[in-house]
Amino acid sequence: LVTLLSNGNAMGKVDAARTLAYISHLGEEETRLNSIVEAGVLPPLVTIMKDESATRDALFYASMLVARIAYKNEERTEAVLDGGAAGALVSIISRTETANVNANVKLQASRAIACIASSPSVKHREALILTGAVRPLEDMVNGSCERASKNASYAMHRLSSRERARWIRAHSPRKK
């Protein structure tokens, strides 16, 4: 599946991402998710998420799988961040809605960002801030998709605190 995700045609990539996302929900979740990461799934997922011509389904399932990988596991969250997924996810939620990026894709990407932001590691939250997640999350909070707005609100809550507020202001890219 990882080979298909990396080298397959557009439909093959969608099928591989969808299958891996569903497999991640089966049985011994922690063991299965660790095996998926160890199989090398993150680089092709990040490549798909960065590809502006990737299909809506490929972006949806890639974001879903990244969310599953990062959810409540610091080591896998570290792998997600080391693989460049934060920048790819921020890119997705920053895009204007098109045929390839719709509200459902942004919902999954915001969910993945919220999973990363839920990490107890300050380093993981700071990585999201440095990637420029704050401004697009702010935009999503006031968006039309209620579930994506809730994900964005949760991520913003996790990224903010009195101690981090100054740090966020100092390190967040400014709108031009």
Side-chain angles (χ1 to χ4, degrees):
L1 287 173
V2 174
T3 301
L4 186 58
L5 195 62
S6 299
N7 302 319
N9 62 22
M11 197 61 197
K13 289 180 181 185
V14 170
D15 289 342
R18 179 186 309 118
T19 301
L20 285 165
Y22 289 131
I23 286 172
S24 73
H25 288 279
L26 301 174
E28 297 288 327
E29 280 187 54
E30 291 302 308
T31 302
R32 191 168 311 278
L33 285 165
N34 290 336
S35 296
I36 288 171
V37 172
E38 290 168 10
V41 74
L42 287 169
L45 289 176
V46 171
T47 299
I48 289 169
M49 292 187 300
K50 287 182 176 178
D51 182 358
E52 296 206 12
S53 66
T55 67
R56 176 180 350 146
D57 287 343
L59 293 169
F60 178 87
Y61 290 112
S63 298
M64 177 189 284
L65 186 52
V66 169
R68 294 280 304 138
I69 290 168
Y71 184 67
K72 292 188 177 180
N73 186 291
E74 282 189 72
E75 289 177 18
R76 289 194 309 263
T77 299
E78 185 79 23
V80 163
L81 291 171
D82 288 347
L89 292 164
V90 170
S91 171
I92 290 170
I93 67 169
S94 300
R95 294 180 201 167
T96 304
E97 289 194 19
T98 64
N100 293 1
V101 177
N102 64 7
N104 286 329
V105 170
K106 288 187 171 191
L107 171 67
Q108 285 303 321
S110 66
R111 181 173 165 258
I113 291 171
C115 288
I116 295 167
S118 70
S119 169
S121 171
V122 173
K123 178 176 128 181
H124 296 162
R125 293 189 297 270
E126 288 174 351
L128 285 172
I129 294 165
L130 290 172
T131 309
V134 173
R135 301 285 182 235
L137 286 171
E138 284 176 343
D139 293 341
M140 287 187 84
V141 167
N142 298 315
S144 60
C145 179
E146 182 180 344
R147 291 183 349 189
S149 178
K150 286 180 181 180
N151 288 340
S153 295
Y154 176 76
M156 289 293 293
H157 168 74
R158 293 293 299 161
L159 293 176
S160 64
S161 73
R162 289 182 188 185
E163 298 82 35
R164 286 190 296 269
R166 268 185 250 118
W167 194 94
I168 291 171
R169 281 191 296 277
H171 292 87
S172 293
R174 302 285 181 222
K175 281 189 178 179
K176 294 181 182 182

